[in-house]
Amino acid sequence: MGVLSAVADAVVVLFSLTIAMAAPLIGAQSVIPPHLYPAPLRDFKRWYAAEFDDYLMAQPPAFLRGIFWLEIAFLWPLSVATIYGVLARRRWAATTSLMAGVSTLTSMSAILGEMLGSGRATPRLLQLYAPYVVFAVIAILRGLCSCSAPPSPASSARKKRV
């Protein structure tokens, strides 16, 4: 179980890191005035939208702008907390992982529903978004099945003295 838990932790940290970087630097460009971003970041977003034929990033619909606000206000700080919590082995990391997984899965349901329903998504674009569904499921399972080690006798002794 230790290896599986370590793999889940690595996946959660990796994808939380991508969210922690992409949400404020790429996704937020759709809702925050463009002049607040340096030209290279604006160019990168345009290149990404053209290269991967991501029509949602090129012309974000209203629901996607709402998801970007959710990412900025909720998922971004949660991802940063999850990265810290997992790496520092904090018990509350299971809760932040669960919350981030549920938020991501909910957002991805709407995004993939639009992509598949519109018929405009290319296989390459779907391959880019699909790993986030897998991440969300792993993060949810990590949060629900958090196998924390039993408290050590030393920590129990400290609690009794207090």
Side-chain angles (χ1 to χ4, degrees), residues 7-47:
V7 169
D9 285 352
V11 169
V12 167
V13 167
L14 177 68
F15 278 94
S16 293
L17 187 59
T18 64
I19 291 169
M21 295 195 51
L25 298 177
I26 307 302
Q29 289 185 42
S30 299
V31 293
I32 294 175
H35 70 274
L36 296 176
Y37 286 92
L41 274 178
R42 292 191 310 259
D43 293 342
F44 178 76
K45 181 185 173 203
R46 278 192 292 273
W47 169 84

Side-chain angles (χ1 to χ4, degrees), residues 155-162:
S155 66
S156 297
R158 273 187 256 137
K159 287 182 184 176
K160 288 178 185 175
R161 280 188 246 155
V162 173

Side-chain angles (χ1 to χ4, degrees), residues 88-134:
R89 304 233 179 261
R90 301 289 186 222
R91 298 189 90 177
W92 48 260
T95 304
T96 60
S97 178
L98 177 64
M99 293 166 61
V102 169
S103 178
T104 302
L105 188 59
T106 303
S107 297
M108 289 309 301
S109 298
I111 292 168
L112 289 175
E114 156 59 31
M115 286 181 172
L116 295 172
S118 72
R120 293 174 60 188
T122 63
R124 186 176 182 198
L125 185 61
L126 290 172
Q127 288 174 349
L128 186 70
Y129 279 87
Y132 285 93
V133 174
V134 175

Side-chain angles (χ1 to χ4, degrees), residues 132-156:
Y132 285 93
V133 174
V134 175
F135 150 71
V137 171
I138 291 172
I140 291 169
L141 291 175
R142 185 198 180 281
L144 291 175
C145 302
S146 177
C147 299
S148 58
S152 66
S155 66
S156 297

